[in-house]
Amino acid sequence: MGLISFVKEAGEKILHAVTGTAHAADQNELLKEHLKKTGIPDADKVDVKVADGKAVVTGEGLSQEAKEKILIAVGNVEGIADVEDNVKVKEAAEESQYYTVKSGDTLSAISKQVYGDANQYNKIFEANKPMLKSPDKIYPGQVLRVPK
C-alpha cells in the first residue's frame, strides 16, 4: 500500500473528465473502461475512484504483476497526479521499481542505467505489456515498471 506519483500533464488523453468538466462517477467509469481495454489480467477485480487528480485503486486477489500494471495504467493517464494503492495481492512477491521516462530516454538507455546492460531493454518492455505496444513508443513523463 502506498502512493505513486505521476506527471499530471503526461499520459493518455482519455480523461477529459479529469479537467473538472465531468462528474466523479464519469471519471471513475472512464478509468475502468480504460483498464478493461488494456487487457491486463484481473483488471475487473479493482475499483477506481478519482478526485482532484488522485486515483484510489482498491481490490484484492491479484498477482503482484497485475497490481503493478493496473496502478501504472491508471497513473499514466493525463490528469492523474497520484495513485493510492489499496490493492491486496493474493501472494506476496518482490515489488518492481518504477521509472519516470525523461526526454531523450530509450528503453535501452533505461536498461543500461538500471541493469548496467542496454541489451536488457526487452525485460522492461515485457514488464510493461500490454500498455507498451512497441519498445520505441515511450514518452516523457510516462512511468514504467522495471523488474528487479
Side-chain angles (χ1 to χ4, degrees), residues 32-133:
K32 288 178 193 176
E33 188 62 33
H34 169 63
L35 283 176
K36 189 186 296 184
K37 288 179 184 175
T38 64
I40 299 169
D42 294 334
D44 59 331
K45 292 183 178 180
V46 299
D47 189 38
V48 182
K49 302 275 190 248
V50 180
D52 299 321
K54 178 181 176 183
V56 178
V57 182
T58 56
E60 53 186 70
L62 282 74
S63 69
Q64 183 68 33
E65 178 181 2
K67 169 187 154 174
E68 291 173 355
K69 286 183 177 187
I70 289 167
L71 295 175
I72 64 169
V74 169
N76 283 326
V77 169
E78 184 179 46
I80 301 295
D82 297 297
V83 175
E84 184 176 321
D85 169 16
N86 291 326
V87 178
K88 295 180 179 140
V89 295
K90 58 184 167 193
E91 262 182 54
E94 188 173 25
E95 290 185 27
S96 297
Q97 58 189 32
Y98 298 103
Y99 180 89
T100 303
V101 177
K102 296 182 276 314
S103 182
D105 272 347
T106 63
L107 288 185
S108 293
I110 296 167
S111 177
K112 175 80 171 159
Q113 179 181 335
V114 174
Y115 301 126
D117 180 3
N119 292 323
Q120 296 289 320
Y121 75 91
N122 203 45
K123 187 185 289 188
I124 299 169
F125 175 64
E126 291 296 325
N128 288 280
K129 278 183 167 178
M131 287 83 59
L132 290 183
K133 306 289 189 238

Side-chain angles (χ1 to χ4, degrees), residues 3-9 15-28 31 48-56 74 77-84:
L3 189 68
I4 304 169
S5 294
F6 292 82
V7 178
K8 189 174 183 175
E9 295 77 28
L15 287 187
H16 61 307
V18 173
T19 62
T21 59
H23 295 95
D26 295 335
Q27 296 172 359
N28 301 340
L31 271 174
V48 182
K49 302 275 190 248
V50 180
D52 299 321
K54 178 181 176 183
V56 178
V74 169
V77 169
E78 184 179 46
I80 301 295
D82 297 297
V83 175
E84 184 176 321

